[in-house]
């Protein structure tokens, strides 16, 4: 019985763990955004860094249902004012009202992850695959 519960909660747990990792990225800057819209499972990778003393973090999203990236012209810095990743469960569970205009909900829709980054560069993405990587630290073991 626990195997089914674990499998059912796996994506939610992945989102929760990713959200915890990303919460520590407040004050970091976006160093790279890579988007591949023509692969089998379209992918978006965002690399954020704080400086040489902190390990970088890569957010990888695939199988998108919504992507919006707004970068003002002549931007000098891409620091992060706010970053969040929210688990969006299947019906009949509720979603935040702000996401309603981004993705059309149906009974066939799987659970999703909603990434939001606020700052001079705004990122808003909803996807069914999410992975967050943290670079290895240069600190002594």
């Amino acid at each position: 019985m626990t195997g089914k519960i674990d499998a059912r909660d796996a994506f939610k747990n992945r989102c929760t763990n990713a959200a915890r990792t990303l919460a520590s990225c407040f004050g970091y800057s976006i160093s790279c955004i890579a988007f591949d819209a023509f692969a089998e499972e379209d992918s978006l990778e965002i690399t954020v860094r704080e400086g040489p003393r902190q390990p970088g973090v890569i957010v990888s999203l695939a199988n998108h249902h919504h992507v919006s990236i707004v970068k003002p012209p002549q931007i000098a810095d891409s620091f992060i004012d706010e970053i969040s990743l929210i688990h969006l469960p299947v019906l009949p569970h509720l979603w935040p009202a702000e996401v309603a205009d981004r993705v059309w909900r149906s009974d066939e829709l799987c659970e999703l992850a909603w990434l939001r980054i606020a700052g001079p560069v705004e990122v808003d993405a909803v996807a069914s695959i999410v992975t967050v990587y943290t670079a290895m630290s240069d600190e002594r073991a």
Side-chain angles (χ1 to χ4, degrees), residues 50-127:
E50 198 264 335
R53 305 287 294 161
Q54 296 293 329
V57 175
I58 298 172
V59 182
S60 179
L61 300 169
N63 198 13
H64 301 114
H65 294 262
H66 167 79
V67 175
S68 171
I69 300 170
V70 179
K71 180 187 173 285
Q74 301 172 351
I75 187 165
D77 198 2
S78 58
F79 58 87
I80 296 171
D81 285 328
E82 184 181 335
I83 186 168
S84 65
L85 190 125
I86 298 170
H87 174 251
L88 302 174
V90 297
L91 282 171
H93 302 285
L94 298 176
W95 283 1
E98 300 91 353
V99 80
D101 63 340
R102 292 165 175 82
V103 177
W104 176 259
R105 288 191 84 183
S106 70
D107 289 333
E108 293 84 33
L109 190 63
C110 62
E111 55 192 331
L112 303 171
W114 179 27
L115 174 70
R116 296 176 70 189
I117 300 175
V121 174
E122 303 279 332
V123 177
D124 186 73
V126 178

Side-chain angles (χ1 to χ4, degrees), residues 1 3 15 18 23-24 59 92 106 111 120 129 133 135 141:
M1 184 68 157
C15 290
S24 68
V59 182
S106 70
E111 55 192 331
I129 300 171
Y133 305 94

